[in-house]
Amino acid sequence: MIVLERADWQARAEAHASAVEAELADVVARRDRGVKHPVDDFLFHYYTLRPSQLAQWHPGAGVALADAAEYASAGRYRVLPSGAVTLDVDAFLAQRGGTVRTALDLLTAAEAAPARFGCFGMHEWAMVYRLRPDESRHPYLPLRYPPAEIARIVEEVGCRCTHIDAFRFFTPAAKPLNLLHPTRERQAEFDQPGCLHVNMDLYKWAGKLTPAVSSDLVFATFRLARDIRAVDMQASAYDLTGWGYEPIPVETAAGRADYVARQRVFTERAAPLRRALIDSLTVLCNRGRVPGRSGSEETGVLRTGATPPPA
């Protein structure tokens, strides 16, 4: 157990809040004015954390905070015999253990899978396939082509989506066009690190498992997800030029090559975050109480201001 002194953890918490507030200043300003945004709205409607929750700093499992009465009274934390405050791991696992196991299974499966780069972002096109413009999931966004041309492009390029949470939003007419049939039950077989949505899922799991995952890692996965969502929408059938996003024309060979190059960059960026999240959840499980096991959770406490290992 690493114990951070108040001056140390308070500085970390303040630095984290400042970084998040700077990153999300435009998001908060648009929210206050009721202005829609095709990238950021997804991050705060589809995922669990609000901007204020993202700005709240947590050290993660395996780290305790000295002189931290505000955390002791915040819930999900407990006071150790030394007076330091740490995550109540057993209570957290009792409540969220199923989510932890699911996340670990999917994260480790995706890490071990070979990356695939042949979908070309057609999942967003398949979500508007054979629909009228006013029937789309984002009716305030104009389409780059009329419905008949979108259908022709989908049929010509083809659909090879591996991610259930993209595939389930395909229109009924588009689902039979997909070469694969991902399901929730077989998600661990289909998730792979070249998929944009699998890499955005790093933020989904980190957010769902806050405060057991360190806020530094949560924020890193959020920034990755924000960048990925921008490319996801740039490669879609929607016209986002009014929001400052130039299209990635995946309906052309050059556009598909551009999309694959960006996929590869995201795959590289996601890999260390996925590994850190796996390590974080493994630490969480290892710190849970095992029936019949004795000993103090504070054995081997290191009181320090040094940077702790990934939580």
Side-chain angles (χ1 to χ4, degrees):
M1 176 73 69
I2 289 178
V3 181
L4 300 180
E5 301 294 344
R6 182 175 182 87
D8 187 0
W9 68 254
Q10 195 167 42
R12 295 170 189 237
E14 290 171 356
H16 172 77
S18 295
V20 172
E21 288 165 7
E23 177 84 15
L24 300 184
D26 53 344
V27 174
V28 174
R30 282 193 299 271
R31 181 194 61 187
D32 291 344
R33 302 196 311 271
V35 176
K36 291 181 178 292
H37 192 275
V39 172
D40 292 335
D41 288 356
F42 176 81
L43 297 171
F44 293 103
H45 292 166
Y46 185 77
Y47 299 117
T48 59
L49 297 182
R50 299 187 297 274
S52 60
Q53 293 173 313
L54 193 57
Q56 175 66 52
W57 182 80
H58 296 281
V63 180
L65 307 178
D67 189 18
E70 54 267 68
Y71 282 86
S73 61
R76 294 197 170 179
Y77 284 85
R78 67 187 185 88
V79 180
L80 298 172
S82 66
V85 177
T86 191
L87 180 77
D88 189 335
V89 171
D90 290 325
F92 186 87
L93 288 175
Q95 182 182 33
R96 307 304 302 276
T99 303
V100 172
R101 287 190 296 272
T102 297
L104 266 175
D105 287 347
L106 294 176
L107 291 165
T108 53
E111 183 180 57
R116 303 179 186 178
F117 302 106
C119 72
F120 306 127
M122 279 290 114
H123 56 277
E124 287 289 342
W125 295 70
M127 294 177 195
V128 297
Y129 179 77
R130 299 293 182 187
L131 295 183
R132 298 191 309 271
D134 63 341
E135 294 178 316
S136 75
R137 296 180 63 234
H138 308 288
Y140 72 99
L141 294 176
L143 294 169
R144 294 200 287 120
Y145 294 104
E149 181 63 8
I150 289 175
R152 186 196 67 79
I153 291 168
V154 171
E155 292 162 5
E156 180 180 285
V157 177
C159 296
R160 304 166 189 82
C161 181
T162 59
H163 196 261
I164 179 58
D165 286 317
F167 178 68
R168 68 191 178 98
F169 290 110
F170 280 29
T171 67
K175 285 186 176 180
L177 302 179
N178 202 46
L179 295 182
L180 303 166
H181 190 75
T183 64
R184 184 68 65 202
E185 294 74 20
R186 299 180 64 195
Q187 186 173 353
E189 297 176 44
F190 283 94
D191 277 7
Q192 48 88 15
C195 173
L196 266 59
H197 281 261
V198 166
N199 291 329
M200 283 193 285
D201 277 353
L202 298 179
Y203 175 56
K204 178 181 78 173
W205 295 121
K208 281 180 176 290
L209 296 172
T210 295
V213 175
S214 75
S215 294
D216 293 338
L217 180 52
V218 174
F219 187 42
T221 62
F222 168 83
R223 296 182 72 179
L224 174 65
R226 196 180 194 189
D227 290 346
I228 291 175
R229 180 59 177 175
V231 168
D232 201 34
M233 293 302 288
Q234 285 176 275
S236 74
Y238 295 107
D239 182 357
L240 274 62
T241 53
W243 283 265
Y245 297 97
E246 291 299 318
I248 300 172
V250 292
E251 66 274 21
T252 69
R256 291 193 288 275
D258 184 12
Y259 183 84
V260 169
R262 296 176 193 237
Q263 270 186 300
R264 292 184 183 278
V265 171
F266 287 138
T267 300
E268 292 176 3
R269 283 180 59 185
L273 298 180
R274 180 177 292 106
R275 172 39 49 187
L277 192 50
I278 291 170
D279 290 345
S280 176
L281 297 183
T282 301
V283 167
L284 177 66
C285 292
N286 288 343
R287 294 198 70 82
R289 184 172 294 125
V290 178
R293 190 176 183 179
S294 62
S296 169
E297 188 176 5
E298 289 192 90
T299 300
V301 166
L302 175 62
R303 200 172 186 89
T304 179
T307 301

